[in-house]
C-alpha cells in the first residue's frame, strides 16, 4: 500500500511548450511552489530550444532538477540567483514518455497549465492529438473535466488558430493570452511577467501576490511608491 502522503498528492501539471515566453513558465512554477502546491512538469522538446535561446540553459532529462533550479532562480532579466524556490515537491516527466503517470485519467491531478502555449500545441490539443506527453495530458485533462489553462503566446493569430482556441474554450479550457496589463504599476520586466503568471494562477484558483489588483481607483498605479 502506498504511503498516505503519496496517496494524497494531487499536483498541477505544468506543460511548457515551444513558444517564446519561458519567463512566464518560470513565474508560474515559482508561484505554484510558493503556494504550497505540488507540481508535475512536462517540458516539450521544442521548448528546450526556446529555453536555451532565451536563457542559455540546456534542459536535460538526466539533470532536470539541477537545470530547473538554475532556470527558476533567474529573474526575467536573466540575472541569476534572483529567486530561491523549493523544488522538493516537483516531479518531472519526459515529453516522450507516453506511459507517464499524468497520461492516464486515473492519475490524480488538480488540472493542467500550459505556459506558454505555442500555436502548434494549441492545434494539437484542440484536435485531440497525442504526439507527445504534453498534448496527451491536455487531452486527458479535458476528458476528465479538470481545469485546463492555455496561456497562448503568439501574435498575430491566424484564422485557423482562432478556430482552435474557440474549440478549446468550448471544450472547457480557459484560453488566456499572455498579455500583460499596465494598471498594476509595472516598473520592471519581471512585473509584466508576474502579471501574466498571476492571471494564470487566478484561473487555476491558486492564491498568490504576484501583482497589484485593480481596486477601482484611477491613477492608483502611478501613485504607488517604489
Amino acid at each position: 500500500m502506498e504511503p498516505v502522503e503519496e496517496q494524497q498528492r494531487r499536483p498541477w501539471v505544468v506543460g511548457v511548450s515551444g513558444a517564446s515566453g519561458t519567463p512566464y513558465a518560470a513565474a508560474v512554477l515559482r508561484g505554484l511552489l510558493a503556494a504550497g502546491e505540488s507540481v508535475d512538469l512536462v517540458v516539450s522538446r521544442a521548448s528546450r530550444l526556446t529555453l536555451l535561446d532565451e536563457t542559455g540553459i540546456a534542459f536535460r532529462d538526466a539533470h532536470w532538477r539541477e537545470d530547473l533550479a538554475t532556470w527558476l532562480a533567474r529573474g526575467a532579466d536573466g540575472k541569476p540567483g534572483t529567486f530561491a524556490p523549493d523544488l522538493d515537491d516537483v516531479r518531472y516527466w519526459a515529453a516522450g514518455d507516453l506511459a507517464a503517470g499524468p497520461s492516464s485519467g486515473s492519475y490524480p491531478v488538480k488540472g493542467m497549465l500550459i505556459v506558454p502555449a505555442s500555436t502548434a500545441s494549441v492545434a494539437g490539443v484542440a484536435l485531440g492529438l497525442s504526439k507527445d506527453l504534453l498534448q496527451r495530458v491536455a487531452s486527458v485533462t479535458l476528458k476528465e473535466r479538470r481545469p485546463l489553462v492555455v496561456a497562448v503566446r503568439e501574435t498575430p493569430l491566424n484564422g485557423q488558430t482562432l478556430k482552435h482556441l474557440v474549440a478549446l474554450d468550448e471544450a472547457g479550457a480557459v484560453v488566456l493570452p499572455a498579455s500583460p496589463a499596465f494598471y498594476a504599476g509595472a516598473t520592471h520586466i519581471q512585473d509584466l511577467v508576474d502579471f501574466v503568471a498571476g492571471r494564470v494562477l487566478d484561473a487555476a484558483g491558486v492564491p498568490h501576490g504576484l501583482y497589484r489588483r485593480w481596486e477601482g481607483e484611477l491613477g492608483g498605479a502611478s501613485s504607488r511608491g517604489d
Side-chain angles (χ1 to χ4, degrees), residues 39-93:
V39 172
D40 276 23
L41 177 64
V42 180
V43 179
S44 77
R45 290 188 175 92
S47 69
R48 296 174 191 232
L49 297 177
T50 307
L51 183 63
L52 181 62
D53 182 57
E54 293 183 346
T55 69
I57 297 171
F59 196 91
R60 303 159 294 174
D61 285 346
H63 304 279
W64 70 266
R65 187 173 293 275
E66 173 188 345
D67 297 336
L68 180 63
T70 301
W71 176 25
L72 298 193
R74 294 195 179 201
D77 59 1
K79 183 179 178 180
T82 302
F83 302 98
D86 183 353
L87 305 183
D88 284 348
D89 205 2
V90 178
R91 180 177 294 174
Y92 172 73
W93 302 96

Side-chain angles (χ1 to χ4, degrees), residues 36-162:
E37 299 286 346
S38 302
V39 172
D40 276 23
L41 177 64
V42 180
V43 179
S44 77
R45 290 188 175 92
S47 69
R48 296 174 191 232
L49 297 177
T50 307
L51 183 63
L52 181 62
D53 182 57
E54 293 183 346
T55 69
I57 297 171
F59 196 91
R60 303 159 294 174
D61 285 346
H63 304 279
W64 70 266
R65 187 173 293 275
E66 173 188 345
D67 297 336
L68 180 63
T70 301
W71 176 25
L72 298 193
R74 294 195 179 201
D77 59 1
K79 183 179 178 180
T82 302
F83 302 98
D86 183 353
L87 305 183
D88 284 348
D89 205 2
V90 178
R91 180 177 294 174
Y92 172 73
W93 302 96
D97 184 7
L98 292 179
S103 68
S104 171
S106 66
Y107 184 86
V109 303
K110 291 184 177 180
M112 182 180 190
L113 316 175
I114 305 179
V115 188
S118 65
T119 54
S121 65
V122 165
V125 177
L127 295 173
L129 305 180
S130 295
K131 75 169 190 176
D132 62 9
L133 183 60
L134 188 152
Q135 291 184 9
R136 171 59 186 170
V137 177
S139 294
V140 169
T141 302
L142 289 176
K143 81 178 182 69
E144 297 293 331
R145 302 296 191 266
R146 294 166 179 161
L148 173 64
V149 182
V150 180
V152 60
R153 215 307 307 164
E154 185 62 89
T155 190
L157 297 172
N158 64 32
Q160 198 61 49
T161 298
L162 291 170

Side-chain angles (χ1 to χ4, degrees), residues 23 27 30 74-77 82-83 188-195:
R30 288 193 297 263
R74 294 195 179 201
D77 59 1
T82 302
F83 302 98
H188 303 285
I189 186 172
Q190 189 66 55
D191 297 329
L192 297 175
V193 168
D194 284 347
F195 179 87

